[in-house]
């Protein structure tokens, strides 16, 4: 499953929906308490009589005692708000049953039985978008992690694997397309009633069950696997969206081919379906043979989708397809093992995207996400290992730690093993555990055995939370360069006194005069401190460290600005070059924001940055996609993470000041870049994508130094744009300034795309993320807009998640931004608890802020915690954030 990759909430006028009072302290689930389920469910038959307001589900379960578990006279079938119509056991009445909360507990005396359970649902009333729900006249499901229990009573846990046969009956006029997992067995049409039967031959857990019914059309294609089987491919969308599915289909075919070539994994069914759904909590879901996607990650054409949208679609489609093996054929024993499938699959989609585009740029993008989302998580109250020890609500653990840090941990194994040996390790994993519900330990042991590694100490990466801090000191004596390294894994909630972990670091030592090095080396810091000696240096070299971001650590070193300028201009590792540029700017912005620099020092450090960026502008050997990364400033959020008691207003001022200096000092070179870039016609080539990236970046620098002139240039770009990347980039710049150009462009954008929900989401986001001084008032007004609704997660995220990610507005000194997000959480929680809970971490960073803002953020968390009707999702996030 892909968590929503979008950047959320309103004022106190939100009308609170009614909700049942939830227990204030949901039970804690602990990994150490895992025991196998007492009963197996080899086969499951589901019969659906479908309707938007009333659906009847008949579930027939063949159950038998599990010889690997302790015997139990009862079977617990999980439910969540279900209406039990009838229950039969072996064809007769079932007297031995009782309700325990939402669960159905049945007494079974023999070794095997057939249970028939009938439930009735109202999909139209399911605003939580978990289980079976209605979306714009369609019916669809989302069952990960615990949504299946909202459909029927079942042992809703990932280690209970079953083969599913699904029969659906529905009025043809309402639901002419009926889809489920696996292969289509039959389709009957009597003119009014449509009946479809689907069978998935591969045992799966209930969280991978899927059903879609609606009025849909499909782009159809095929793929021939490496063994010669022909697989039918379909991308299902609403009528009118078909023309925007070509990129999705091509991305699917590229994913299938890449997985065969890179990991040796072949698709295993005759059919692969993707369905685009407008109302969806996540990015997409990997249900076996029937992937359900947020429309955001399916629909694209140049007029409505940016280059980033295109890349996102390719990456998410790859992610869900790769889950077919890393998640479906081998699933999780329990939810503590979530990174087993998600961390591994994120790595696989990252490697795929690297191969499909610019590998260095993709690596930088992935590290930016890690630092922007996971590093703060690791240093805050929500810190947890990639394999957590406990949880109260599993939906809260679909986190950047489990996904993105999990991917980095497996990437380190790949670095230690080398590509060929790592492939042998993954082959061992797939062969050894196919058809099983496995653990993270199973994966590590497979890599150990297949790649010939000893990963005993490496396992600490799975059990210890926190981002390791690596201190670096390079000295020179005689003809030797001496590198002293030490590591510290900070204390996190529930964990202190961490042990040293193996940290693979790729390094190079540059001759300062020649601008070259003798070759990249891999060193491993596996102690609290260690010293590495490198002979053959007549003078002290310049160190390039953690090249390619070989380890997810924070490098701490006192490096002179002139060495950073040197690396930014000459390092042959693209990531290390980017890192030097970022370090140069971060060091200045942190010091300037803290008031540690006098005027002379500020001007000198600004001059270093200008010189470094100038060298990037002038370097004709750099591709423009990479040039755009090298010239980009670190985000305000990232800078705040480097400062204790951060003052967002001061950081904003210093960052805008630096941007203006760069725009003014390098105006000529920036305008030359822009003029060159605007000559390239639209295409999806790397060259054209790089040109579009540069145009928006140049505008952002110029508007800081020359608002009037840059606004006119942005307005011209907006008017002449023949693609969404250029149009959105220009509008992004215009939203941050006052003037007729801003008003006219926003009105034109809305009128031009008002029938396209995904593009109108952009319209909301651009305004919520703007640097405009009245951004809070704009967000309040947008919350009252006729196109805004709390019932669609995309729309909620487009406005309020964008605002929560905008430190200029969210961290307003008055605290109004914090109140807005708290009000949203309280208003959204009874409607869609899973989405509401994802807004809490923005307030949970209160410990990082200066005392005034810190108190205001904590006050809002306490206000949320005091609410009488909080969901388990939000309750857990708030209480952990408060500490």
């Amino acid at each position: 499953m892909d968590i929503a990759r979008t950047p959320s909430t309103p004022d106190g006028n939100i009308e609170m929906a009614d909700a049942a009072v939830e227990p204030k302290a949901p039970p804690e689930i602990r990994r150490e308490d895992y025991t196998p389920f007492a009963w197996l469910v080899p086969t499951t038959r589901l019969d659906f009589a479908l309707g938007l307001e009333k659906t009847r589900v008949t579930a027939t379960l063949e159950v038998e005692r599990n010889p690997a578990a302790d015997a139990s006279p009862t079977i617990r079938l999980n439910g969540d708000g279900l209406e039990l119509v009838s229950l039969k056991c072996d064809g007769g009445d079932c007297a031995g049953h009782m309700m325990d909360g939402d669960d159905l507990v049945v007494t079974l005396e023999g070794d095997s039985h057939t249970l028939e359970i009938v439930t009735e649902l109202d999909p139209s009333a399911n605003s939580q978008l978990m289980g079976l729900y209605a979306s714009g006249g369609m019916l669809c499901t989302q069952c990960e992690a615990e949504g299946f229990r909202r459909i029927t009573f079942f042992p809703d846990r990932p280690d209970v694997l079953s083969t599913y046969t699904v029969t659906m009956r529905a009025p043809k006029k309402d639901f002419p397309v009926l889809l489920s997992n696996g292969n289509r067995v039959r389709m009957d049409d009597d003119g009014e009633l449509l009946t479809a039967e689907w069978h998935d031959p591969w045992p799966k857990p209930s969280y991978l069950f899927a059903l879609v019914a609606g009025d849909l059309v499909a782009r159809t294609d095929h793929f021939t696997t490496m063994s010669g089987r022909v697989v039918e491919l379909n991308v299902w969308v609403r009528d009118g969206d078909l023309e925007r599915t070509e990129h999705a289909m091509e991305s699917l075919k590229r994913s299938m081919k890449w997985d065969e070539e890179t990991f040796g994994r072949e698709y295993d069914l005759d059919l692969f379906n993707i369905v685009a759904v407008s109302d969806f909590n996540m990015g997409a879901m990997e249900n076996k043979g029937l992937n359900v996607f947020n429309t955001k990650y399916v629909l694209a054409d140049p007029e409505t989708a940016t280059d980033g949208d295109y890349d996102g679609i390719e990456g998410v489609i790859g992610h869900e397809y790769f889950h077919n093996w890393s998640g479906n054929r081998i699933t999780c024993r329990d939810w503590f093992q979530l990174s087993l499938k998600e961390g591994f699959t994120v790595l696989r989609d990252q490697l795929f995207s690297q191969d499909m585009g610019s590998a260095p740029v993709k690596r930088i993008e992935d590290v930016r996400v890690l630092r922007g989302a996971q590093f703060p998580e690791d240093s805050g109250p929500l810190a947890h290992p990639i394999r957590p020890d406990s949880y109260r609500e599993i939906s809260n653990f679909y986190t950047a730690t489990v996904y993105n840090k999990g991917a980095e941990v497996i990437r380190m194994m790949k670095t230690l093993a080398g590509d060929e040996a790592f492939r042998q390790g993954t082959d061992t994993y797939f062969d050894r555990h196919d058809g099983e519900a496995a653990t993270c330990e199973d994966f590590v042991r497979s890599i150990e055995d297949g790649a010939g590694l000893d990963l005993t100490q490496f396992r600490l990466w799975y059990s210890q939370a926190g981002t390791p801090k690596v201190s670096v000191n390079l000295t020179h004596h005689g003809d030797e360069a001496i590198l002293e390294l030490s590591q510290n894994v900070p204390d996190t909630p529930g964990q202190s006194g961490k042990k040293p972990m193996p940290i693979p670091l790729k390094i190079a030592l540059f001759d300062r005069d020649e601008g070259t090095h003798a070759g990249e080396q891999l060193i491993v810091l596996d102690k609290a401190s260690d010293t590495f000696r490198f002979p053959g240096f007549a003078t002290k070299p310049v160190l390039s460290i953690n090249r390619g971001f070989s380890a997810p650590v924070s490098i701490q070193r006192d490096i002179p600005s002139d060495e950073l300028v040197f690396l930014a201009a000459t390092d042959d590792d693209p990531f290390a070059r980017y890192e030097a540029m970022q370090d140069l700017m971060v060091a200045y912005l942190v010091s300037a924001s803290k008031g540690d620099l006098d005027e002379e020092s500020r001007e000198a450090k600004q001059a270093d940055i200008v010189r470094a960026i100038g060298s990037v502008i002038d370097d004709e050997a750099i591709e423009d996609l990479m040039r755009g990364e090298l010239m980009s400033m670190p985000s305000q959020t990232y800078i705040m993470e480097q400062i204790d008691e951060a003052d967002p207003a001061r950081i904003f001022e210093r960052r805008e000041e630096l941007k203006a200096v760069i725009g003014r000092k390098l105006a000529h070179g920036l305008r030359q870049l822009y003029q060159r870039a605007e000559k390239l016609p639209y295409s999806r080539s790397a060259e054209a994508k790089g040109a579009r990236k540069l145009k928006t970046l140049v505008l952002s620098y110029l508007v800081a130094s020359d608002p009037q002139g840059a606004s006119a240039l942005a307005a011209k770009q907006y008017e002449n744009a023949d693609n969404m990347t250029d149009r959105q980039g220009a509008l992004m710049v215009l939203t941050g300034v006052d003037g007729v150009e801003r008003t006219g462009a926003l009105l034109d954008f809305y009128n031009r795309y008002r029938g396209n929900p995904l593009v109108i989401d952009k319209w909301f986001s651009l305004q919520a993320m703007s640097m405009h001084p009245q951004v809070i008032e704009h967000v309040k007004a947008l919350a009252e807009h006729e196109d805004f609704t709390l019932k669609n997660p995309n729309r909620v995220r487009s406005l309020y998640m964008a605002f929560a990610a905008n430190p200029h507005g969210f961290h307003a000194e008055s605290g109004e931004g914090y109140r807005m997000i708290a009000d949203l959480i309280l208003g959204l929680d009874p409607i869609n608890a899973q989405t509401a809970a994802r807004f809490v971490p923005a307030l949970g960073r209160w410990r990082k802020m200066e005392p005034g803002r810190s108190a205001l953020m904590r006050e809002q968390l306490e206000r949320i915690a005091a609410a009488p009707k909080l969901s388990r999702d939000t309750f857990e996030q708030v209480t952990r954030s408060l500490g």
Side-chain angles (χ1 to χ4, degrees):
M1 179 165 64
D2 187 89
I3 53 179
R5 301 188 181 193
T6 44
S8 191
T9 217
D11 56 30
N13 294 325
I14 289 180
E15 181 179 349
M16 303 295 181
D18 291 332
V21 176
E22 293 285 350
K24 270 291 185 183
E28 182 180 44
I29 311 298
R30 299 185 301 172
R31 181 165 56 88
E32 65 182 21
D33 294 337
Y34 170 82
T35 57
F37 194 60
W39 295 84
L40 304 175
V41 187
T43 62
T44 299
R45 293 190 63 90
L46 299 173
D47 188 293
F48 289 85
L50 295 170
L52 288 174
E53 296 181 349
K54 179 181 177 182
T55 289
R56 175 170 284 222
V57 185
T58 302
T60 303
L61 316 181
E62 302 292 337
V63 304
E64 58 188 48
R65 293 192 181 275
N66 183 359
D70 292 339
S72 173
T74 62
I75 182 171
R76 177 175 291 271
L77 304 174
N78 303 120
D80 184 356
L82 292 174
E83 177 187 348
L84 178 64
V85 176
S86 66
L87 170 65
K88 293 183 179 180
C89 181
D90 300 322
D93 293 338
C94 187
H97 71 275
M98 60 174 286
M99 296 299 300
D100 182 11
D102 279 335
D103 292 349
L104 174 63
V105 180
V106 184
T107 301
L108 300 174
E109 296 182 356
D111 292 334
S112 61
H113 299 276
T114 300
L115 297 178
E116 182 184 280
I117 306 160
V118 180
T119 55
E120 285 189 351
L121 321 168
D122 180 0
S124 67
N126 184 359
S127 67
Q128 299 290 342
L129 309 185
M130 289 291 290
L132 178 68
Y133 65 91
S135 172
M138 292 173 52
L139 290 173
C140 56
T141 58
Q142 169 57 32
C143 293
E144 188 176 355
E146 296 178 340
F148 192 74
R149 64 187 63 191
R150 295 170 65 88
I151 297 173
T152 189
F153 292 99
F154 195 84
D156 191 13
R157 44 188 284 169
D159 60 342
V160 177
L161 308 184
S162 185
T163 57
Y164 284 73
T165 301
V166 179
T167 302
M168 293 174 279
R169 298 176 178 82
K172 182 179 178 180
K173 63 180 178 61
D174 297 326
F175 306 107
V177 174
L178 302 175
L179 306 172
S180 191
N181 304 91
N183 296 316
R184 186 172 48 244
V185 176
R186 67 183 176 93
M187 180 73 72
D188 298 329
D189 181 357
D190 69 3
E192 293 186 3
L193 187 69
L194 204 61
T195 302
E197 183 177 328
W198 291 76
H199 177 65
D200 185 355
W202 301 100
K204 64 176 180 283
S206 55
Y207 82 83
L208 289 173
F209 168 76
L211 173 157
V212 174
D215 189 358
L216 301 166
V217 294
R219 178 181 291 272
T220 299
D221 209 325
H222 70 277
F223 179 82
T224 302
T225 70
M226 58 186 179
S227 68
R229 282 191 309 105
V230 177
V231 180
E232 179 186 330
L233 310 176
N234 295 297
V235 178
W236 296 90
V237 295
R238 297 185 188 279
D239 191 21
D241 287 335
L242 201 58
E243 291 183 356
R244 294 193 286 156
T245 59
E246 180 180 5
H247 179 64
M249 180 62 79
E250 292 304 311
S251 297
L252 173 58
K253 291 192 291 184
R254 286 192 292 269
S255 302
M256 298 176 81
K257 185 174 187 291
W258 183 88
D259 208 19
E260 289 183 346
E261 294 174 346
T262 308
F263 282 91
R265 299 299 106 192
E266 181 177 353
Y267 187 61
D268 52 8
L269 291 168
D270 301 328
L271 190 61
F272 189 93
N273 285 314
I274 288 174
V275 181
V277 178
S278 298
D279 301 290
F280 205 64
N281 284 338
M282 302 295 183
M285 178 61 206
E286 70 266 20
N287 318 296
K288 183 73 177 179
L290 177 58
N291 286 188
V292 179
F293 272 66
N294 191 314
T295 51
K296 178 179 175 65
Y297 296 108
V298 173
L299 304 179
D301 62 16
E303 174 63 20
T304 60
T306 65
D307 294 332
D309 293 331
Y310 273 93
D311 292 344
I313 288 168
E314 182 175 70
V316 174
I317 283 182
H319 181 96
E320 304 309 333
Y321 174 75
F322 302 145
H323 264 313
N324 187 63
W325 277 90
S326 50
N328 296 0
R329 286 285 288 260
I330 305 177
T331 193
C332 303
R333 185 196 72 177
D334 53 67
W335 289 122
F336 298 103
Q337 320 299 327
L338 183 58
S339 197
L340 171 74
K341 74 181 186 79
E342 294 300 350
F344 187 25
T345 304
V346 168
L347 174 64
R348 276 152 56 75
D349 85 52
Q350 290 177 351
L351 296 174
F352 166 67
S353 294
Q354 286 181 199
D355 287 348
M356 295 301 106
S358 169
V361 170
K362 174 59 178 170
R363 187 66 185 131
I364 289 169
E365 291 172 348
D366 291 336
V367 173
R368 186 185 299 120
V369 171
L370 185 82
R371 286 173 167 168
Q374 198 279 320
F375 276 21
E377 196 168 84
D378 244 353
S379 64
L382 302 179
H384 58 277
I386 62 172
R387 184 188 57 201
D389 294 318
S390 66
Y391 65 82
R392 294 186 185 275
E393 174 52 59
I394 185 55
S395 66
N396 287 333
F397 279 87
Y398 285 76
T399 62
T401 297
V402 166
Y403 280 68
N404 302 83
K405 185 176 181 178
E408 295 296 328
V409 167
I410 299 173
R411 188 186 287 261
M412 284 191 290
M413 294 187 209
K414 184 174 183 287
T415 298
L416 292 167
D419 291 349
E420 185 176 339
F422 181 73
R423 168 65 191 272
Q424 293 172 353
T426 59
D427 284 349
T428 300
Y429 170 68
F430 289 127
D431 294 342
R432 184 180 289 175
H433 297 288
D434 186 13
E436 295 181 4
T439 65
C440 293
E441 174 60 29
D442 293 328
F443 181 83
V444 176
R445 190 180 297 115
S446 295
I447 301 299
E448 260 183 336
D449 295 345
L453 293 175
D454 180 357
L455 296 173
T456 302
Q457 184 186 8
F458 189 88
R459 286 168 169 80
L460 290 168
W461 281 100
Y462 280 87
S463 59
Q464 293 188 163
T467 301
K469 300 182 185 300
V470 177
S471 297
V472 178
N473 183 42
L474 181 70
T475 57
H476 180 259
H477 296 289
D479 71 340
E480 244 186 358
I482 303 170
L483 179 60
E484 297 174 296
L485 300 177
S486 63
Q487 64 166 293
N488 171 53
V489 188
D491 292 347
T492 52
Q495 290 189 340
S496 59
K498 311 285 181 68
K499 296 179 181 179
M501 302 192 290
I503 299 174
L505 295 167
K506 291 182 179 180
I507 69 164
L509 294 167
F510 278 84
D511 182 291
R512 186 189 302 267
D513 297 326
E514 298 294 330
T516 60
H517 61 84
E520 185 176 83
Q521 303 179 58
L522 177 66
I523 61 175
V524 180
L525 175 64
D526 55 7
K527 305 178 181 68
S529 61
D530 206 349
T531 300
F532 302 84
R533 298 178 180 273
F534 305 93
F537 290 93
T539 59
K540 182 181 177 182
V542 177
L543 174 66
S544 171
I545 191 168
N546 206 21
R547 292 159 65 84
F549 200 72
S550 55
V553 300
S554 174
I555 299 293
Q556 300 184 322
R557 55 177 173 168
D558 186 11
I559 180 170
S561 293
D562 66 306
E563 292 192 8
L564 288 175
V565 173
F566 170 86
L567 292 171
T570 62
D571 202 320
D572 59 340
D573 178 78
F575 177 81
R577 188 173 183 180
Y578 162 84
E579 185 80 322
M581 189 72 80
Q582 294 290 296
D583 284 349
L584 195 61
M585 289 189 275
V586 168
Y588 164 73
L589 289 168
V590 168
S591 297
S593 299
K594 292 166 65 176
D596 293 344
L597 302 176
D598 58 29
E599 188 65 26
E600 183 178 353
S601 298
R602 283 174 61 182
E603 290 180 357
K605 290 183 178 296
Q606 288 173 357
D608 287 337
I609 294 169
V610 168
R611 187 166 72 255
I613 293 180
S615 72
V616 172
I617 292 175
D618 295 337
D619 190 340
E620 296 181 359
I622 305 175
E623 62 171 9
D624 281 344
L625 279 171
M626 188 65 198
R627 195 188 314 277
E629 294 296 339
L630 292 172
M631 291 173 59
S632 296
M633 294 184 68
S635 71
Q636 182 173 339
T637 300
Y638 182 68
I639 298 162
M640 285 194 301
E641 288 297 321
Q642 315 310 309
I643 302 174
D644 292 330
E645 297 191 1
D647 184 336
R650 186 177 298 169
I651 294 170
F652 175 77
E653 291 171 2
R654 298 287 82 84
R655 188 174 181 274
E656 289 301 298
E657 176 187 74
L658 177 60
K659 194 190 299 182
V661 169
I662 294 169
R664 185 171 61 254
K665 298 283 189 182
L666 297 174
H668 179 69
L670 289 169
R671 289 186 179 275
Q672 282 189 321
L673 278 184
Y674 189 92
Q675 290 164 7
R676 173 173 63 79
E678 69 176 347
K679 293 177 183 178
L680 277 180
Y682 179 86
S683 77
R684 292 281 302 136
S685 71
E687 183 184 19
K689 288 170 63 179
R692 290 190 289 274
K693 184 177 188 176
L694 279 183
K695 285 198 289 185
T696 296
L697 183 62
V698 167
L699 285 175
S700 71
Y701 279 122
L702 293 180
V703 79
S705 58
D706 179 17
Q708 186 174 356
S711 294
L713 187 58
K716 180 183 176 183
Q717 177 175 309
Y718 180 89
E719 293 166 5
N720 295 337
D722 62 355
N723 63 86
M724 179 53 72
T725 305
D726 280 346
R727 181 167 286 118
Q728 177 176 297
L731 187 58
M732 180 191 71
V733 171
L734 291 172
T735 56
V737 296
D738 275 319
V740 294
E741 293 95 343
R742 177 187 190 274
T743 304
L746 283 171
L747 182 60
D748 175 80
F749 193 91
Y750 177 78
N751 289 332
R752 185 187 296 254
Y753 298 110
R754 65 185 307 166
N756 187 315
L758 292 179
V759 184
I760 295 302
D761 284 341
K762 298 177 188 296
W763 184 77
F764 277 96
S765 288
L766 287 167
Q767 295 174 80
M769 295 177 72
S770 83
M771 297 297 103
H772 196 283
Q774 300 299 318
V775 63
I776 289 179
E777 296 308 313
H778 295 162
V779 171
K780 288 181 179 180
L782 288 167
E784 302 297 326
H785 195 278
E786 62 181 355
D787 285 345
F788 183 77
T789 174
L790 286 179
K791 294 183 179 180
N792 180 271
N794 279 1
R795 188 55 47 84
V796 173
R797 287 189 289 260
S798 73
L799 181 61
Y800 287 109
M801 196 66 79
F803 176 74
N806 178 359
H808 174 56
F810 177 62
H811 290 292
E813 189 173 10
S814 66
E816 182 66 15
Y818 309 144
R819 286 192 293 274
M820 288 172 66
I821 293 302
D823 286 342
L824 169 73
I825 292 168
L826 291 169
L828 184 60
D829 188 60
I831 299 171
N832 188 327
Q834 193 174 107
T835 300
R838 294 192 183 278
F839 286 89
V840 175
L843 292 168
R845 302 301 293 154
W846 59 274
R847 293 173 180 84
K848 288 294 297 181
M849 296 299 113
E850 52 82 20
R853 287 177 174 85
S854 177
L856 292 170
M857 295 172 79
R858 183 180 175 91
E859 178 185 343
Q860 295 306 316
L861 285 170
E862 291 172 341
R863 182 164 72 92
I864 298 168
K869 299 180 180 181
L870 280 186
S871 67
R872 292 185 308 173
D873 308 62
T874 300
F875 175 81
E876 181 180 31
Q877 292 287 74
V878 172
T879 53
R880 290 178 64 210
S881 294
L882 285 168

